[in-house]
Amino acid sequence: MQQPACYSIVDLMEMMAERIGEAARSLNGDDAAAFVDELLVARRVYVAGAGRSGLVARAFAMRLRHLGVESFVVGETITPALQEGDTLVAFSGSGETNSIVDYCEMVREIGGRICLITATPASRIGRMANCTVNLGNHAPRIGGMPGRYEVRQLTGQYRSVAPAFAPFGTLFEMTALVFSDAVLSAMMELKHCSLEEIKGRLANIQ
């Protein structure tokens, strides 16, 4: 029996790159600039995300450190207490992940700021956020998603940039990673960071 034809790896990579390009072209520049401003004035920056979004958040926190920004990952044993004047950056494609919603509610009660990187601004976190960056303007909406990240993973209910050819919501995370790297590049220029300064902050005991 002849196997059905499938896309090549190169084709799939090009399709994903095109979708990320679509996200960049649909991005609201004012929202992106407002996000950068939030980071520049924050006393300290905390990041949070579940699953793969959490990995993007960790990468973002590491790069912020390289730029000299005091940043922490929520849930780490050495993360200090968040205080008024601190900012939480939440990475959540759905904006509904219960654990991240809980973090944001606590931040709001404490008097901190909330920035949301998402594909669903009309969400529970979106309604709490002081600043929202929508990376999903061009994506079809998928309604009725459960709030538990683990349930969405098991049932295949994802809010992906393009679920038809990139399963598991991976395009949101890839788009979020590219966006966060672009933000860091902008901050590097705004803070006048030299490569020598950044190199001096890289880990040297790993």
Side-chain angles (χ1 to χ4, degrees):
M1 181 177 176
Q2 186 176 5
Q3 295 293 324
C6 64
Y7 289 108
S8 71
I9 299 300
V10 172
D11 288 337
L12 290 168
M13 290 177 67
E14 290 179 344
M15 291 168 69
M16 291 177 185
E18 176 58 29
R19 290 305 176 94
I20 293 173
E22 290 175 10
R25 290 186 288 274
S26 67
L27 181 65
N28 185 307
D30 291 338
D31 292 343
F35 176 57
V36 172
D37 289 341
E38 290 278 354
L39 296 174
L40 291 173
V41 301
R43 193 173 72 95
R44 297 180 298 188
V45 176
Y46 292 68
V47 303
R52 288 178 299 273
S53 293
L55 297 177
V56 175
R58 286 171 177 270
F60 186 54
M62 179 182 71
R63 291 305 189 196
L64 285 173
R65 280 279 179 176
H66 294 163
L67 292 182
V69 176
E70 195 171 4
S71 58
F72 303 94
V73 177
V74 174
E76 292 293 316
T77 56
I78 60 171
T79 299
L82 185 142
Q83 299 175 355
E84 188 175 353
D86 294 335
T87 295
L88 172 69
V89 178
F91 288 80
S92 176
S94 70
E96 297 287 342
T97 305
N98 285 336
S99 59
I100 311 303
V101 170
D102 290 344
Y103 294 155
C104 292
E105 288 176 343
M106 287 187 285
V107 171
R108 186 171 59 175
E109 290 176 6
I110 293 168
R113 304 279 293 178
I114 301 168
C115 295
L116 172 63
I117 311 302
T118 188
T120 317
S123 58
R124 284 190 290 170
I125 301 176
R127 288 188 286 274
M128 286 187 279
N130 303 104
C131 172
T132 299
V133 176
N134 180 13
L135 299 180
N137 276 326
H138 58 292
R141 294 192 62 80
I142 300 175
M145 288 189 304
R148 287 185 58 197
Y149 175 84
E150 297 83 358
V151 173
R152 294 201 305 277
Q153 296 296 299
L154 291 172
T155 59
Q157 298 181 69
Y158 306 107
R159 177 62 162 80
S160 176
V161 171
F165 73 92
F168 316 124
T170 53
L171 273 176
F172 168 72
E173 289 102 22
M174 287 192 295
T175 304
L177 180 62
V178 172
F179 168 76
S180 61
D181 267 0
V183 166
L184 292 163
S185 294
M187 290 182 65
M188 181 178 174
E189 292 189 14
L190 291 170
K191 290 171 66 67
H192 304 291
C193 294
S194 67
L195 288 176
E196 288 72 23
E197 286 180 278
I198 293 174
K199 288 179 181 178
R201 299 187 186 106
L202 298 178
N204 59 4
I205 56 172
Q206 58 185 5

